[in-house]
């Protein structure tokens, strides 16, 4: 069952041993973020866990991070499924979105602060790169709405706390939150904006999906949950927000009201540039009676941000290729969890149907995403095992024949130093597609046939040699031997 609230999800995660409570009081200006950095920098993926800081100095509200994106097991638990089913679940949700359901009385509005009662310092908002970030940052779901169509959007845009009642949000040009804001401010009107903090887990995972302009992530979240996301009208702005969220911050962006934002530690591993961004005047904070605060750990990869963005991005790409572009030869996609999701190395498994097919699919992936490196392999390669992908690169990829270079690619997120220019603001770069599928018959694998390997497995057990789970790489090879 997909957990319908953040609380249910955290309870399920704790039962699986994937959440740790930290009872000692912590200083939000450095301790939670620095501990999370150690977890991502030192622990292998399978040993990571969500962090629940029960006591944050100066705030009555606990802080949770890394729970949704500790690893793929945590992400899967947020959808109530097994890690192997993540792509299928995302494809199904995109093909069967469920529109949100509006309700009148919501848990996220049990307590309402407006006007001078609003104090952002009551929330345990951490400093994520202690010693380097300009201040505390909100890293959660941002809700905006197009003034003309009325369609809402959700994304995560880093947002700096300026003072008790104002924020500066990285609503960067080209991103949908920015486009929605312009539809109001260009007409001289204040744009409504809100943050949904510790919303139902599926809402968080859907928010980072790069969907076509006009598609509402709340519908995809409903598709993931198998039931409509309950939404409620904000108290001070005209937006619908997830009713079961723990905390909502409501505000407005006024025409021409901007300020320098940053520096902030970015997901590509370097400090992000300081740029002029819209200021948000906070009009209300609404919350449950005893709320939980959630903030994503990002910055140096791997991080929670890379895990979430990689997994969501892979599912959306797979759906687009198979069902929007008719590339049914594509069976699976993996976006490397060690980097920034939308920029990361992407590996496609497919059964090419004609010469050049794998290159075509690789080019499509590169063109319709921000991904810089795409590798295409046959279906007998485990795309989640980098040693297996490397094997395919070594024996099925001939660089001068199997490489496509795409020039003049624009990278709208200015966090990748490789595409920065010394003397201009442009972030023009290039992309590479490597076709590591077999082009000619290669003969049989140099492994004994399946029957012999399986008989040897019985012998292994009989002798009492150490037990193991058969890796997918080995299974695929043996099945093809
Ligand atoms: C912790 C975190 C912080 C992020 N910060 C930003 C950001 O500041 N600017 C941005 O453009 N994308 C950021 N992203 C990625 C976007 O949320 C993601 O690409 C999303 O799809 C954007 O929504 P949109 O396509 O509707 O604009 C962030 C993601 C995470 C998980």
């Amino acid at each position: 069952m997909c957990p319908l609230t953040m609380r249910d999800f955290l309870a399920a995660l704790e039962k699986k041993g994937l959440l740790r409570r930290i009872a000692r009081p912590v200083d939000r200006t450095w301790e939670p973020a620095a501990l999370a950095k150690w977890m991502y920098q030192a622990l292998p993926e399978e040993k990571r866990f969500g962090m629940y800081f029960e006591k944050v100095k100066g705030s009555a509200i606990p802080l949770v991070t890394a729970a949704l994106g500790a690893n793929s097991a945590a992400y899967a638990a947020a959808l109530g499924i097994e890690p192997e089913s993540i792509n299928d679940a995302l494809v199904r949700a995109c093909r069967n979105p469920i529109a949100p359901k509006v309700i009148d009385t919501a848990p996220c509005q049990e307590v309402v602060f407006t006007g001078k009662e609003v104090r952002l310092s009551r929330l345990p908002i951490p400093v994520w790169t202690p010693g380097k970030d300009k201040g505390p940052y909100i890293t959660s779901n941002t809700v905006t709405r197009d003034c003309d169509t009325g369609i809402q959007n959700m994304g995560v845009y880093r947002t700096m706390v300026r003072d008790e009642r104002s924020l500066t949000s990285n609503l960067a040009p080209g991103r949908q939150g920015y486009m929605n804001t312009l539809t109001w401010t260009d007409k001289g009107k204040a744009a409504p904006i809100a943050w949904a903090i510790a919303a139902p887990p599926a809402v968080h995972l859907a928010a980072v999906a790069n969907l076509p302009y006009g598609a509402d992530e709340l519908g995809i979240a409903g598709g993931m949950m198998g039931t409509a996301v309950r939404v409620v009208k904000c108290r001070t702005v005209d937006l619908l927000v997830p009713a079961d969220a723990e905390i909502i911050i409501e505000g407005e962006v006024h025409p021409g009201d901007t300020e320098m934002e940053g520096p902030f530690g970015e997901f590509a591993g370097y400090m992000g540039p300081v740029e002029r961004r819209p200021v948000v005047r906070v009009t209300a904070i609404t919350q449950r009676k005893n709320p939980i605060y959630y903030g994503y750990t990002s910055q140096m990869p791997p991080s929670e941000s890379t895990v979430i963005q990689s997994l969501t991005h892979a599912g959306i790409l797979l759906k687009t290729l198979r069902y929007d572009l008719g590339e049914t030869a594509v069976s699976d996609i993996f976006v490397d969890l060690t980097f920034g999701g939308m920029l990361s190395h992407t590996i496609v498994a497919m059964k090419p149907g004609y010469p050049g097919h794998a290159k075509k699919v690789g080019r499509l992936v590169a063109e319709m995403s921000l991904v810089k490196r795409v590798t295409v392999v046959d279906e007998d390669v485990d795309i989640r095992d980098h040693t297996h992908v490397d094997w395919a690169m070594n024996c099925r990829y001939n660089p001068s024949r199997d490489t496509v270079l795409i020039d003049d690619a624009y990278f709208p997120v200015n966090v990748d130093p490789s595409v920065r220019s010394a003397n201009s603001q442009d972030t023009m770069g290039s992309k590479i597609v490597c076709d590591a599928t077999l082009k000619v018959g290669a003969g049989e694998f140099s492994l004994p046939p399946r029957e012999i390997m399986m008989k040897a497995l019985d012998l292994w057990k009989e002798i009492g040699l150490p037990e193991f789970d058969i890796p997918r790489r080995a299974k695929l090879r043996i099945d093809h031997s």
Side-chain angles (χ1 to χ4, degrees):
M1 272 287 285
C2 181
L4 301 185
T5 65
M6 182 58 79
R7 283 163 190 247
D8 290 349
F9 165 60
L10 295 176
L13 210 59
E14 200 162 10
K15 263 199 203 140
K16 286 177 184 279
L18 284 166
L19 183 78
R20 300 257 178 147
R21 286 175 180 270
I22 294 112
R24 174 194 181 279
V26 288
D27 177 347
R28 71 180 103 164
T29 66
W30 72 279
E31 287 177 323
L35 290 171
K37 296 290 178 286
W38 268 120
M39 187 181 65
Y40 281 101
Q41 295 308 309
L43 300 191
E45 204 209 319
E46 65 283 2
K47 293 246 167 88
R48 292 187 217 132
F49 44 82
M51 297 178 138
Y52 191 123
F53 296 95
E54 291 178 339
K55 295 191 196 85
V56 180
K57 288 178 197 166
S59 173
I61 301 172
L63 159 70
V64 180
T65 190
L68 292 158
N71 48 32
S72 45
Y75 185 107
L79 297 179
I81 57 174
E82 294 303 316
E84 310 77 70
S85 312
I86 292 174
N87 270 353
D88 285 348
L90 288 167
V91 169
R92 221 176 310 118
C94 289
R95 298 190 69 211
N96 305 285
I98 299 176
K101 179 179 166 208
V102 185
I103 59 167
D104 296 328
T105 311
C108 71
Q109 294 178 342
E110 283 171 357
V111 182
V112 176
F113 299 102
T114 56
K116 293 248 158 62
E117 294 170 331
V118 168
R119 280 200 298 119
L120 286 164
S121 63
R122 286 180 39 261
L123 307 179
I125 306 171
V127 175
W128 291 106
T129 327
K132 295 188 180 170
D133 282 1
K134 171 94 178 279
Y137 266 80
I138 297 168
T139 50
S140 202
N141 315 298
T142 314
V143 184
T144 55
R145 187 161 68 85
D146 184 312
C147 174
D148 304 315
T149 65
I151 298 172
Q152 292 201 169
N153 179 262
M154 229 179 8
V156 181
Y157 311 108
R158 66 181 206 221
T159 296
M160 185 178 86
V161 177
R162 270 180 98 226
D163 56 34
E164 287 291 22
R165 279 181 285 282
S166 71
L167 306 159
T168 313
S169 186
N170 183 33
L171 295 164
R175 311 298 272 162
Q176 297 187 20
Y178 173 78
M179 286 148 79
N180 277 351
T181 309
L182 281 190
T183 63
W184 300 80
T185 53
D186 278 355
K187 298 181 182 71
K189 297 181 186 172
I193 189 163
W195 280 263
I197 296 166
V203 170
H204 278 260
L205 305 183
V208 296
N210 288 308
L211 299 178
Y213 189 66
D216 184 358
E217 283 83 357
L218 283 171
I220 309 293
M224 290 172 172
M225 287 168 31
T227 183
V229 177
R230 302 190 325 152
V231 291
V232 68
K233 197 159 176 245
C234 283
R235 287 299 176 93
T236 56
V237 291
D238 192 6
L239 286 174
L240 292 169
V241 286
D244 293 295
E246 296 281 327
I247 301 168
I248 303 289
I249 300 174
E250 304 178 7
E252 286 178 334
V253 173
H254 293 270
D257 192 4
T258 60
E259 199 187 62
M260 300 312 277
E261 181 266 327
F264 176 75
E266 270 297 353
F267 69 95
Y270 290 95
M271 295 304 293
V274 178
E275 284 177 279
R276 188 161 284 283
R277 293 287 183 251
V279 171
V280 178
R281 304 291 161 180
V282 179
T283 50
I285 296 180
T286 73
Q287 61 175 69
R288 288 173 182 251
K289 278 198 192 103
N290 296 301
I292 300 165
Y293 183 88
Y294 197 98
Y296 285 123
T297 296
S298 181
Q299 297 76 49
M300 179 60 79
S303 74
E304 180 170 32
S305 167
T306 70
V307 170
I308 288 178
Q309 292 201 66
S310 295
L311 293 170
T312 296
H313 200 44
I316 304 292
L317 281 173
L318 185 57
K319 185 263 176 184
T320 309
L321 281 172
R322 283 183 62 88
Y323 296 100
D324 301 334
L325 301 175
E327 289 294 350
T328 50
V330 174
S331 51
D332 203 2
I333 294 194
F334 177 64
V335 180
D336 183 7
L337 300 186
T338 66
F339 191 54
M342 59 179 153
L343 301 178
S344 209
H345 183 196
T346 296
I347 303 133
V348 181
M350 69 179 288
K351 194 171 180 179
Y354 49 84
H357 195 181
K359 276 188 185 166
K360 176 191 166 195
V361 165
R363 275 197 305 260
L364 283 172
V365 172
E367 291 288 10
M368 71 189 191
S369 70
L370 299 181
V371 165
K372 195 160 67 174
R373 286 192 300 145
V374 184
T375 301
V376 187
V377 296
D378 296 292
E379 288 176 314
D380 63 354
V381 175
D382 179 1
I383 58 176
R384 289 169 185 79
D385 179 338
H386 70 91
T387 65
H388 205 181
V389 174
D390 249 14
W391 171 84
M393 286 294 282
N394 285 325
C395 67
R396 297 178 179 180
Y397 167 69
N398 179 354
S400 69
R401 181 192 63 188
D402 298 330
T403 309
V404 181
L405 285 176
I406 301 172
D407 272 330
D408 300 326
Y410 177 60
F411 289 79
V413 277
N414 189 8
V415 294
D416 173 356
S418 75
V419 298
R420 272 190 215 147
S421 155
N423 42 21
S424 98
Q425 284 296 315
D426 288 347
T427 46
M428 296 299 289
S430 57
K431 301 187 175 206
I432 185 166
V433 173
C434 298
D435 171 5
T437 60
L438 262 179
K439 281 81 187 177
V440 289
E444 293 193 54
F445 280 152
S446 50
L447 273 174
R450 192 167 197 286
E451 318 80 78
I452 296 183
M453 288 300 285
M454 297 320 282
K455 253 202 293 184
L457 193 56
D458 293 339
L459 180 60
W460 179 284
K461 287 177 189 158
E462 189 189 312
I463 298 168
L465 294 172
E467 282 187 26
F468 58 81
D469 292 326
I470 304 176
R472 185 144 187 275
R473 175 185 68 241
K475 195 173 172 311
L476 283 166
R477 285 173 168 165
I478 291 162
D479 285 351
H480 289 86
S481 287

